[in-house]
């Protein structure tokens, strides 16, 4: 499946809005739940997601090389959901600015600069995965339309599978085998090192 530059911005928006819906459903007692991200509670995962939105927004505006934009705050916010919502607003506004897909994004965690359309694609696949992480942690269904999941599986196939670039300290765990006949969500998750069978309540509805 191929996408235009406008498509990737819209696909990203849908994935991010779904992550926002899921985070907004968290209750105070949910923040200490485990997540599919090993060793991370839901609070820690959402803090990471928040910082990544801020970092990508800065990168879209030419300031991605500044480490402060990617840093999680030392003190955890009292209302992680509200803080996350503010970060979503920031990144979606940055990605809809004219010409964003033609800009160069500095992404320190990937040790390079990337064309905007590629960088937004990185953000997109990350937030399909993180939306699922939140859904799995909360035990509720992920709601993403078929075309978004098909695009996610296509992007996931292009993520380098070199074991030297996977695991602790990297964006994704080592890829898992994909059973024949898997749907696009399962394929994408397994290619990104997540095991949906371990979190069955997060199936798409």
């Amino acid at each position: 499946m191929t996408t235009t530059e406008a498509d990737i911005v819209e696909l990203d928006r849908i994935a991010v809005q779904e992550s926002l819906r899921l985070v907004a459903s968290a209750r105070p007692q949910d923040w200490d739940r485990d997540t599919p991200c090993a060793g991370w509670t839901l609070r820690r995962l959402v803090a990471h997601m928040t910082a990544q939105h801020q970092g990508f927004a800065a990168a879209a505006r030419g300031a991605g090389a500044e480490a402060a934009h990617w840093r999680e705050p030392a003190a955890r916010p009292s209302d992680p959901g509200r803080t996350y919502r503010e970060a979503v607003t920031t990144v979606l506004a940055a990605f809809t600015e004219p010409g964003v897909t033609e800009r160069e994004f500095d992404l320190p965690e990937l040790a390079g600069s990337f064309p905007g359309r590629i960088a937004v694609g990185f953000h997109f696949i990350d937030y399909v995965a993180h939306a699922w992480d939140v859904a799995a942690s909360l035990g509720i269904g992920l709601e993403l339309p078929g075309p978004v999941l098909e695009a996610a599986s296509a992007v996931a196939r292009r993520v380098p599978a070199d074991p030297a670039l996977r695991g602790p300290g990297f964006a994704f765990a080592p890829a898992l085998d994909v059973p024949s006949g898997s749907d696009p969500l399962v394929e994408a998750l397994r290619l990104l090192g997540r095991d949906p069978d371990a979190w069955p309540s997060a199936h798409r509805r």
Side-chain angles (χ1 to χ4, degrees), residues 10 42-43 53 58 81 84 93 101 131 140-141 155 158 161 168-169 182 204:
E10 175 62 8
L42 183 60
R43 183 185 300 276
H53 285 326
Y84 185 69
T101 55
I140 57 181
V155 173
R158 299 196 294 270
S182 294
R204 178 170 56 96

Side-chain angles (χ1 to χ4, degrees), residues 5-200:
E5 293 178 358
D7 287 337
I8 195 61
V9 171
E10 175 62 8
L11 290 166
D12 180 78
R13 184 193 67 78
I14 293 169
V16 170
Q17 290 285 17
E18 173 63 359
S19 76
L20 178 60
R21 180 188 73 85
L22 292 160
V23 169
S25 73
R27 302 161 298 175
Q29 62 266 35
D30 291 327
W31 296 112
D32 291 327
R33 285 175 175 260
D34 291 333
T35 73
C37 300
W40 283 11
T41 63
L42 183 60
R43 183 185 300 276
R44 175 70 175 80
L45 171 62
V46 171
H48 166 77
M49 292 163 65
T50 300
Q52 289 288 301
H53 285 326
Q54 299 286 11
F56 269 89
R61 292 167 171 158
E66 298 175 26
H69 292 302
W70 301 88
R71 194 172 297 130
E72 296 173 26
R76 296 299 186 213
S78 59
D79 186 350
R82 179 181 59 79
T83 305
Y84 185 69
R85 182 170 63 252
E86 292 169 354
V88 164
T89 298
T90 298
V91 77
L92 293 184
F95 282 5
T96 55
E97 291 176 1
V100 71
T101 55
E102 287 82 49
R103 299 175 191 169
E104 286 291 310
F105 283 46
D106 287 318
L107 303 178
E109 292 183 354
L110 298 178
S113 178
F114 300 85
R117 60 183 176 79
I118 301 298
V120 175
F122 293 156
H123 190 262
F124 163 65
I125 192 62
D126 212 23
Y127 281 84
V128 171
H130 283 327
W132 180 83
D133 292 334
V134 176
S137 179
L138 294 173
I140 57 181
L142 179 68
E143 297 181 357
L144 286 172
V148 173
L149 297 177
E150 289 165 11
S153 67
V155 173
R157 288 185 216 115
R158 299 196 294 270
V159 174
D162 183 347
L165 301 175
R166 296 292 193 101
F170 293 96
F172 301 113
L176 304 176
D177 291 338
V178 180
S180 177
S182 294
D183 66 36
L185 175 60
V186 169
E187 179 181 24
L189 292 171
R190 293 186 69 84
L191 288 173
L192 300 176
R194 286 161 167 81
D195 182 6
D197 291 336
W199 302 82

